[in-house]
C-alpha cells in the first residue's frame, strides 16, 4: 500500500548542516520542555502538597491543619529557610481548635520488592503510634499490599507503644514484629502470615524513625501544643 | 480525487486499529503493555500518554522531514520523542500523582517504545504532517484498545473491580495471579489466540467459493 520512494543518490551531507539541524531540533525541543515544565510546575507542587496532607490527615483523623517542622541536633523548629544537614522532617497536625492532634513522620525500610515508605501518626498523649499510611510501595499485589487492608494487622497500630526510656535517649522497648498470633506486649506487631517480610518492613520503618525522632521531640513537645498564628 | 484521498486517509487511520494493531498483530511495545496493564485506569492512562507522544512526535518528525539529513535522523527522532515524553511526564504529575506513581518508570520508558520510533521512521518521515498524524492517531488508538483489553480483563479477574468499582461484592476471592506478571502473559496469550482464531475464520471465509466478495 505504501508508495515506493525513489532512491536518492548517496551523497555526503556537509558536517555543518548536520550540526545545524541537530542544533535547531534541540533548541525547539528545549523550548517545548521548558514551556511544559513552567506550565505544570504549580499544579504539580499543589498536587504533591495535597497528597501529603491527605496521608497525614489519614493517620491522624482529628487533624484539620498541619505544619512542617524539622528536628535538628539543636532542637526543633518550623521547616522553611535553610535546611540543616541531618535534620529530620516531621509534620505537626492540629485539630479544628488549633490544638495539637498528633505528629506524623516518614519511615522507610526494605520490603520484599523495594523500599516500603510509610507515614505514621504519633500521639504524644499516649506516647504511641496511632496509625500508618503508605507513601510508596511496590509490594506484591494481593500479598504484601495487605498491610493497608488487613484489619487484624491494622489493629496493631491503634495504640502501638513507643514510650521513651527514663533518659529520653531511645525507645524504652524496641518496636518488634512477631509471628502472627504471638503478640503479647503493646510494642509488638502481629505480622500477617504470608506477608512477613512486608510486615517486618513496616515495623522496622516505624522503629528506626521513632528511635531517631522521638528523643529529639520529647524535650520540646511543649512548643507544639498550640498552632502558632 | 477527493473521495480517493479521503478513503486513503481513512485507510491510514484504520491501519493501526485493526490490520496492523500494534499489540495484537505487530506485538510491539510489549514492555509497557505487560507491565502497566494491571488495572483499567493504568492501562488507559498509559495508552493516552503514548498517544500524545506518538501523535505529536510523528507530526514534528513529518514537519522536519525535508530538513533532517539521513545521517542524523535517528538522533533527531529520539530527541523529538524524548521531548514529548518529558512533556507528558510533567503533565501527568500535574493531573494526578496517583497515576504518576502507578505508572512509575514506564512513563519515561515511552521514549524507547518501538511503536513510536517505528512509526517515525517507517511512516512520518515519508508522509506530510496530516497523514502522519492521522496514521499515528490510528496506531495509538489501536495501542489504547490493546492495553485496555488487557487491563480490564486483568483488573476484573485479579481484583474483582473495574475502574475501581467492585463488581462481585465483598465475598469475591481475587484471582491474584492475574495482577502479577504471569497474569499479563496469560491474558495477552488469550487475546492473541482469539485474534488469530478470528483472522483464520475470516481467511477461511474468503477462500470459500463466493465468499470473497467485498470482505
Amino acid at each position: 500500500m505504501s508508495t515506493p520512494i525513489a532512491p536518492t543518490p548517496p551523497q555526503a551531507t556537509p558536517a555543518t548542516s548536520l550540526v545545524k539541524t541537530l542544533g535547531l531540533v534541540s533548541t525547539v525541543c528545549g523550548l517545548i520542555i521548558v514551556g511544559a515544565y513552567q506550565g505544570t510546575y504549580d499544579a504539580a507542587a499543589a498536587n504533591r502538597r495535597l497528597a501529603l496532607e491527605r496521608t497525614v490527615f489519614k493517620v491522624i483523623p482529628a487533624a484539620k491543619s498541619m505544619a512542617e517542622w524539622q528536628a535538628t541536633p539543636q532542637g526543633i523548629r518550623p521547616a522553611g529557610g535553610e535546611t540543616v544537614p541531618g535534620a529530620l522532617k516531621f509534620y505537626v497536625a492540629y485539630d479544628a481548635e488549633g490544638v495539637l492532634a498528633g505528629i506524623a513522620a516518614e519511615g522507610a525500610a526494605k520490603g520484599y520488592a523495594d523500599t516500603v515508605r510509610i507515614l505514621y501518626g504519633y500521639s504524644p498523649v499516649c506516647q504511641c503510634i496511632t496509625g500508618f499510611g503508605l507513601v510508596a510501595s511496590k509490594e506484591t499485589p494481593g500479598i504484601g499490599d495487605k498491610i493497608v487492608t488487613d484489619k487484624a494487622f491494622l489493629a496493631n497500630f491503634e495504640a502501638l507503644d513507643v514510650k521513651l526510656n527514663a533518659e529520653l535517649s531511645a525507645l524504652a522497648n524496641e518496636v518488634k514484629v512477631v509471628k502472627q498470633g504471638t503478640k503479647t506486649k503493646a510494642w509488638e506487631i502481629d505480622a500477617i502470615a504470608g506477608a512477613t517480610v512486608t510486615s517486618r518492613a513496616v515495623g522496622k520503618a516505624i522503629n528506626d524513625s521513632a528511635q531517631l525522632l522521638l528523643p529529639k521531640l520529647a524535650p520540646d513537645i511543649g512548643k507544639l501544643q498550640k498552632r502558632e498564628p | 480525487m477527493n473521495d480517493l484521498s479521503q478513503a486513503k486517509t481513512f485507510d491510514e487511520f484504520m491501519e493501526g486499529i485493526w490490520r496492523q494493531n500494534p499489540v495484537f498483530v505487530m506485538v510491539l511495545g510489549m514492555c509497557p503493555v505487560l507491565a502497566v496493564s494491571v488495572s483499567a485506569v493504568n492501562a488507559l492512562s498509559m495508552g493516552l500518554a503514548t498517544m500524545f507522544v506518538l501523535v505529536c512526535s510523528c507530526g514534528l518528525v513529518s514537519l522536519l522531514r525535508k530538513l533532517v539529513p539521513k545521517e542524523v535522523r535517528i538522533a533527531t527522532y529520539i530527541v523529538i520523542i524524548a521531548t514529548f515524553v518529558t512533556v507528558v511526564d510533567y503533565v501527568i504529575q500535574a493531573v494526578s500523582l496517583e497515576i504518576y506513581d502507578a505508572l512509575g518508570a514506564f512513563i519515561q520508558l515511552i521514549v524507547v517504545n518501538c511503536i513510536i520510533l517505528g512509526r517515525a521512521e517507517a511512516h512520518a518521515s515519508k508522509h506530510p504532517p496530516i497523514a502522519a498524524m492521522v496514521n499515528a492517531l490510528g496506531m495509538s488508538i489501536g495501542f489504547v484498545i490493546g492495553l485496555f483489553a488487557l487491563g480490564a480483563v486483568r483488573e476484573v479477574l485479579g481484583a474483582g473491580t473495574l475502574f475501581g468499582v467492585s463488581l462481585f461484592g465483598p465475598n469475591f476471592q481475587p484471582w491474584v495471579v492475574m495482577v502479577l506478571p504471569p497474569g499479563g502473559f496469560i491474558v495477552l496469550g488469550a487475546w492473541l489466540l482469539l485474534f488469530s482464531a478470528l483472522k483464520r475464520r475470516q481467511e477461511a471465509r474468503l477462500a470459500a467459493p463466493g465468499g470473497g466478495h467485498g470482505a
Side-chain angles (χ1 to χ4, degrees), chain A residues 85-96:
Chain A
L88 297 168
K89 227 194 291 177
F90 63 94
Y91 309 98
V92 185
Y94 298 97
D95 64 11

Side-chain angles (χ1 to χ4, degrees), chain B residues 72-159:
Chain B
V72 291
R73 68 185 195 287
I74 301 290
T76 316
Y77 300 161
I78 289 290
V79 169
I80 291 172
I81 295 167
T83 301
F84 288 111
V85 170
T86 313
V87 170
V88 104
D89 185 284
Y90 289 142
V91 170
I92 294 181
Q93 282 186 58
V95 172
S96 161
L97 270 188
E98 279 158 33
I99 292 179
Y100 186 75
D101 287 338
L103 299 182
F106 290 98
I107 301 173
Q108 289 92 17
L109 283 176
I110 297 175
V111 177
V112 288
N113 190 323
C114 37
I115 299 170
I116 300 176
L117 190 58
R119 276 298 100 186
E121 167 79 7
H123 195 278
S125 60
K126 294 163 191 161
H127 292 83
I130 300 292
M133 285 169 83
V134 164
N135 182 271
L137 187 68
M139 270 294 158
S140 40
I141 291 176
F143 189 62
V144 171
I145 292 173
L147 266 170
F148 182 71
L150 255 83
V153 170
R154 288 179 72 186
E155 188 183 342
V156 167
L157 297 177

Side-chain angles (χ1 to χ4, degrees), chain A residues 1-3 5 8 10-13 17-18 21-22 24-26 28-30 32-33 36-37 40-41 43-45 47-49 51 54 135 138 140-143, chain B residues 8 11-12 15 19 38 60 64 67-72 75-76 79-80 82-84 86-87 90-98 101 123 126-127 176 179-180:
Chain A
M1 56 123 259
S2 58
T3 45
I5 290 136
T8 42
Q11 48 182 277
T13 318
S17 118
L18 296 184
T21 315
L22 284 174
L24 175 78
V25 171
S26 312
V28 171
C29 289
I32 296 176
I33 290 179
Y37 178 72
T40 58
Y41 184 83
N47 254 346
R48 268 192 289 274
R49 206 167 43 242
R54 221 178 301 140
V135 179
K138 294 198 169 50
T140 321
I143 303 172
Chain B
K8 196 159 172 272
D11 192 58
E12 295 263 16
E15 184 190 5
R19 213 173 51 252
V38 291
L60 194 55
L64 297 173
L67 225 77
V68 176
K70 197 169 93 273
E71 292 85 343
V72 291
T76 316
V79 169
I80 291 172
T83 301
F84 288 111
T86 313
V87 170
Y90 289 142
V91 170
I92 294 181
Q93 282 186 58
V95 172
S96 161
L97 270 188
E98 279 158 33
D101 287 338
H123 195 278
K126 294 163 191 161
H127 292 83
V176 174
V179 290
L180 298 179

